[in-house]
Amino acid sequence: MVNKGIKKLYTFLIFSFLYAPIIVLIVFSFNNSKSRGVWAGFTLKWYIELFKDAEILKALYYTLLVAVLSAIISTVIGTFAAIGIYNMPGLNKKIILNLNYIPVLNPDIVTAVSLMALFRFLRIEFGFATMLLSHVTFCTPYVILSVLPKLKQMNKHLAEAAMDLGATPFYALRKVVIPEIMPGIITGGLMAFTLSVDDFVISFFNTGNSVSNLSIEIFSMTRRGINPVINALSTLMFVSLMIMLLIINKRTEKNEIERGV
């Protein structure tokens, strides 16, 4: 009984440590003062100011656009790459997996500078395209690592059985393999989206003067002081993400119940 209580206390302290900064941020997004250490009363003015700030809205637009596009592209590439890796013979599979681990284990600064050097070597003009390409490169290995476990859990004879019954390889992939690994694909897509929104280093080194995402915009604000509208924006993003996760989890549970899992 004592051990159970200690475990609960430990879990509570861990989650408190993780979420306390977010709770403070949410509370101070309603603060009537620019100070982040003094409560001056409740207000919604920072939420109103948020939708009047053209620079923040432009940065948010590029952040979400790059995140959505990079998540979609890296999820498609990562899913097919994971299927290809899964069906490889032993030695080749190990080599490709180890190569896939390198971008994950590499410090972001190494990946960022490497991509910047590559774009300069290829004489690609820095801007939206280079930022998108760098985010796709950065996110794809995480998608592969999310999809592979689901492929290992799947019965490897399902696709063969479908083709024995007359299905083409593409039809078997679309109707048998993809539905079986869909939880891993969704997880990989969400991870790619989150990593893209969160990234600063790779974005900073691989963007142009005309394109700036939220992380770069907030970094530039640190020199002159953080605008409290960032608290409001962060709160809206956190709430939106929580709602999206709840909807996805609910739909996943519903699909598993329908399939009898």
Side-chain angles (χ1 to χ4, degrees), residues 175-189:
K175 291 293 185 179
V176 178
V177 177
I178 297 296
E180 285 291 321
I181 63 173
M182 186 56 70
I185 295 173
I186 293 173
T187 301

Side-chain angles (χ1 to χ4, degrees), residues 158-192:
L158 283 176
E160 295 175 3
M163 287 185 282
D164 286 342
L165 294 172
T168 62
F170 180 73
Y171 188 86
L173 174 68
R174 187 164 57 90
K175 291 293 185 179
V176 178
V177 177
I178 297 296
E180 285 291 321
I181 63 173
M182 186 56 70
I185 295 173
I186 293 173
T187 301
L190 288 174
M191 187 176 291

Side-chain angles (χ1 to χ4, degrees), residues 95-165:
I95 293 171
I96 297 298
L97 276 175
N98 286 329
L99 289 174
N100 185 68
Y101 287 134
I102 292 174
V104 176
L105 299 175
N106 241 355
D108 285 356
I109 187 68
V110 175
T111 304
V113 174
S114 301
L115 287 168
M116 182 183 68
L118 175 64
F119 293 141
R120 287 202 179 279
F121 175 76
L122 296 176
R123 297 183 180 178
I124 300 174
E125 185 178 352
F126 283 84
F128 178 80
T130 54
M131 182 184 282
L132 178 59
L133 287 171
S134 62
H135 278 234
V136 171
T137 304
F138 173 63
C139 293
T140 300
Y142 291 91
V143 177
I144 294 172
L145 293 177
S146 297
V147 175
L148 276 174
K150 287 297 176 183
L151 285 166
K152 292 176 181 177
Q153 292 174 11
M154 183 186 72
N155 188 335
K156 62 181 180 180
H157 300 298
L158 283 176
E160 295 175 3
M163 287 185 282
D164 286 342
L165 294 172

Side-chain angles (χ1 to χ4, degrees), residues 81-96:
I83 294 170
I85 292 169
Y86 177 73
N87 291 302
M88 281 182 175
L91 181 60
N92 291 340
K93 186 175 183 179
K94 288 181 180 179
I95 293 171
I96 297 298

Side-chain angles (χ1 to χ4, degrees), residues 34-109:
K34 285 189 175 182
S35 172
R36 292 185 297 278
V38 179
W39 179 260
F42 181 87
T43 184
L44 292 173
K45 71 177 182 180
W46 303 121
Y47 289 87
I48 298 170
E49 289 293 325
L50 170 62
F51 294 100
K52 294 179 181 178
D53 194 319
E55 289 186 9
I56 295 296
L57 292 178
K58 184 181 178 182
L60 176 63
Y61 167 75
Y62 279 118
T63 299
L64 294 178
L65 182 61
V66 170
V68 170
L69 290 177
S70 63
I72 292 171
I73 296 169
S74 61
T75 300
V76 173
I77 295 173
T79 299
F80 284 103
I83 294 170
I85 292 169
Y86 177 73
N87 291 302
M88 281 182 175
L91 181 60
N92 291 340
K93 186 175 183 179
K94 288 181 180 179
I95 293 171
I96 297 298
L97 276 175
N98 286 329
L99 289 174
N100 185 68
Y101 287 134
I102 292 174
V104 176
L105 299 175
N106 241 355
D108 285 356
I109 187 68

